Amino acid sequence: MNDILNRQLLSITGLVQLEKRIRHAATLEEFGFLVVNETHALMRYRQAVLWRRTASSGEGKVVAISGIALPDADAPFLVWLRKVLKAVGDSREIEPVDAHGIPPGLAAEWVDWLPPHALWVPLDRSDEERLGGLFLVRDEPWTDHDRHLISYLGDAYAHSWSALRGGRRDRASWLFKRRGRLGFLVLALLAGLAWMPIRQSVLAPAEVIPKQPVLIRAPIDGVVDRVEVLPNQLVTEGQLLLTLDPARLQNRLDVARKAFEVGEAEYRQAAQQALFDPRSKAQLAILQGRMEQSAAEVTYLEGLLARIEVRSPRNGIVIFDDVNDWIGKPVSIGERILIVADPGEAEMEIHVAVSDAIAVAEGNDVSLFLNVDPQNPVTGKLSYASYQANPTPDGSLAYRLKADFGDEAAPVRIGLKGVAKVYGEPATLFYYVMRRPLAGLRQRLGL
C-alpha cells in the first residue's frame, strides 16, 4: 500500500513540476522541446511529435520531435507523418491510433516508420482556437491511466501554447496600433531596409574529410587475420597494414602442387613408353595439357598467397574505426577496409538541404565553425557543388559541397564536425528574408 502511495505521490510531483516548467517557457522553441522530451518523465513512449494546425497548409507543421534538434520538413518521414496527423487531427478527444485508423494509402507505410500503438492528444483551447496536438508512439498499448494522466498535461500544454502564440501576436501588432508620424517613419525605415544590399548565406552541417585519400581494398576473397596498425596511426610507404588468413589458400596450393607432381610423373612415364608403344604416344598431348593446367593453377595460387599481405602505398595516417571490427571478418575482393590519407591535406564536406539551397559558384567564401572550437571559424573557398541532391545518412535530400581550406589556415584534424556558412551572391534584405516564402508561393500558384 505504501509503495502505491509513493508512486502516486511521485507521479503528482512530476506532473506539478512539469506544468511549472511548461508555463515558464519563454519561447515557442523552448515550449516544443519541453513537450516532446520532458513528457517522458511521466509516461513511457518511443517518440513524441508536436504538430501545429496551420491555415495556410492543410497538412499543418511538425514543430518538434523528440530526440531531433531541427526537423527537416523535406525528409520523407516528416512528409508522410504530416499526412497522418492531418487525418487524425480533427479529433477533439484523446484516443489511441493505429494503422487501421488512417487511410489505406498511409497505413501501408506505418510499419516502416512507427511502432504499432500511437496516442493522439489534441491541444485546443476552444472551437475558435484550435492549436494542434501531441502524437505519442510506443510498442505497448496505451492504458486508461495513461490517457487520464495525459489529459491533465494536455490542458496545461494548450494553455501555455495559447499564451505564447498570443504574446507573439500582440508584440507583432504593436506597430499597427501606433498613429501619426512615428508609425509612418517606422514603415519608411522598414521599406528602406528591405532594399538594403546583403550577401546571401546558408548554414549547413559539415565535416573535415581527407583530400585525395588512398582506399585500401581487399586484394582477394578471404578473412582478415591480423591488423598490424592502429586507428589514426602514422605509416610509411610499404609498411604492413594487415594480413589475410593464408590457411585456405595454402591448402589449395598444396593440393595443386601434388596434382602437378602426379601429372608430371604420368607424363614422364608415358613419354618413356611411347618409345616402344605407339598407343602411349597418343596420350602424351593429353597428359602434357593436364600437367600444364596443374602448373598454371600452382602459379595462380602462389600469386594469390603473395597478396595476402596488404601494405601502405603512401605515407600518411590510417583511418578506420576499430581493429576488433575487422579481425576475423570475411571480406570480398575490392571491399574497402581502411583509408590512408595525408593529415596535412584535408577539405570540408558540406551537405546543404534542398529547402536551404542557394546559388553558389566555385570560389565562394566558406566559414567552418567546428564543434570543438566554435569561437574561431576556419575559412576556405568552395571547390565543388553537386548538381543533383542525394540522400544523406539521416534520410533527407541534400546537395554535396566541398571547400578547400585557406593557405593561411592551420591544419585541421580529419574527422572533426561542425557547421559551415556558405556565402552566395549579393541580394536585397527583402529577398534574403522572403526567399523561401516566395519559392513556396510560386510552387503553389505557378507565378
Side-chain angles (χ1 to χ4, degrees), residues 9 45 70 76 163 240 292 319 355 370 374 447:
L9 181 60
Y45 55 81
L70 296 174
L240 181 62
E292 292 176 353
I319 301 176
S355 57
L370 295 171
L447 299 179

Side-chain angles (χ1 to χ4, degrees), residues 79-130:
V79 173
W80 174 83
L81 183 60
R82 286 198 300 270
K83 297 178 181 178
V84 173
L85 293 175
K86 177 187 176 183
V88 303
D90 292 333
S91 176
R92 303 298 302 273
E93 302 293 335
I94 300 175
E95 59 182 9
V97 181
D98 55 22
H100 301 289
I102 62 175
L106 300 174
E109 301 182 36
W110 182 288
V111 68
D112 297 329
W113 297 112
L114 296 176
H117 300 285
L119 185 67
W120 165 251
V121 183
L123 303 180
D124 298 333
R125 292 291 294 165
S126 63
D127 291 336
E128 293 76 18
E129 191 177 6
R130 304 196 64 187

Side-chain angles (χ1 to χ4, degrees), residues 192-204:
L193 290 176
W195 299 103
M196 181 180 69
I198 189 174
R199 194 174 184 185
Q200 296 186 78
S201 62
V202 62
L203 295 175

Side-chain angles (χ1 to χ4, degrees), residues 121-397:
V121 183
L123 303 180
D124 298 333
R125 292 291 294 165
S126 63
D127 291 336
E128 293 76 18
E129 191 177 6
R130 304 196 64 187
L131 305 176
L134 180 63
F135 194 67
L136 307 173
V137 294
R138 69 183 187 184
D139 295 310
E140 60 270 13
W142 297 92
T143 63
D144 293 337
H145 173 73
D146 296 329
R147 298 170 64 179
H148 181 71
L149 181 59
I150 199 64
S151 64
Y152 291 103
L153 286 176
D155 290 339
Y157 291 166
H159 181 271
S160 300
W161 199 359
S162 177
L164 288 173
R165 285 166 58 96
R168 174 171 291 188
R169 287 196 298 268
D170 291 340
R171 292 192 297 270
S173 61
W174 177 82
L175 288 175
F176 299 97
K177 296 179 181 179
R178 302 292 294 176
R179 302 292 183 182
R181 184 177 300 177
L182 180 60
F184 175 77
L185 291 177
V186 171
L187 291 176
L189 178 61
L190 292 177
L193 290 176
W195 299 103
M196 181 180 69
I198 189 174
R199 194 174 184 185
Q200 296 186 78
S201 62
V202 62
L203 295 175
E207 182 181 0
V208 180
I209 63 173
K211 189 175 184 179
Q212 297 179 349
V214 178
L215 303 181
I216 304 301
R217 304 180 184 274
I220 58 175
D221 294 337
V223 177
V224 178
D225 185 28
R226 298 190 310 275
V227 179
E228 306 292 345
V229 293
L230 298 175
N232 302 330
Q233 177 181 333
L234 287 171
V235 297
T236 58
E237 183 178 353
Q239 182 175 343
L240 181 62
L241 301 179
L242 58 94
T243 305
L244 301 181
D245 188 0
R248 184 171 63 90
L249 287 177
Q250 187 63 52
N251 293 336
R252 291 178 57 189
L253 180 59
D254 293 341
V255 173
R257 285 174 175 171
K258 290 295 183 181
F260 173 74
E261 294 174 359
V262 171
E264 185 179 20
E266 291 178 348
Y267 175 77
R268 290 178 178 177
Q269 182 179 4
Q272 293 176 358
Q273 293 179 355
L275 297 175
F276 309 100
D277 187 3
R279 290 178 299 178
S280 299
K281 187 175 183 180
Q283 298 292 326
L284 283 179
I286 298 176
L287 295 176
Q288 183 179 6
R290 292 178 180 174
M291 183 182 64
E292 292 176 353
Q293 180 181 1
S294 299
E297 186 173 1
V298 170
T299 303
Y300 170 71
L301 293 174
E302 288 176 344
L304 291 182
L305 198 60
R307 298 170 63 185
I308 63 172
E309 293 185 348
V310 181
R311 299 183 179 274
S312 174
R314 59 174 296 181
N315 299 334
I317 62 171
V318 182
I319 301 176
F320 66 104
D321 291 333
D322 189 5
V323 173
N324 295 324
D325 293 342
W326 289 102
I327 294 179
K329 179 181 178 181
V331 292
S332 303
I333 183 171
E335 181 178 351
R336 190 179 77 173
I337 302 177
L338 48 84
I339 296 175
V340 178
D342 187 345
E345 296 182 358
E347 61 184 355
M348 311 178 206
E349 184 181 49
I350 309 165
H351 293 281
V352 179
V354 173
S355 57
D356 296 331
I358 61 174
V360 295
E362 184 176 346
N364 285 13
D365 294 330
V366 178
S367 296
L368 175 61
F369 300 87
L370 295 171
N371 294 336
V372 296
D373 189 13
Q375 295 182 346
N376 299 307
V378 184
T379 59
K381 296 289 185 181
L382 194 66
S383 60
Y384 167 78
S386 64
Y387 285 95
Q388 186 177 5
N390 296 305
T392 60
D394 61 359
S396 60
L397 292 176

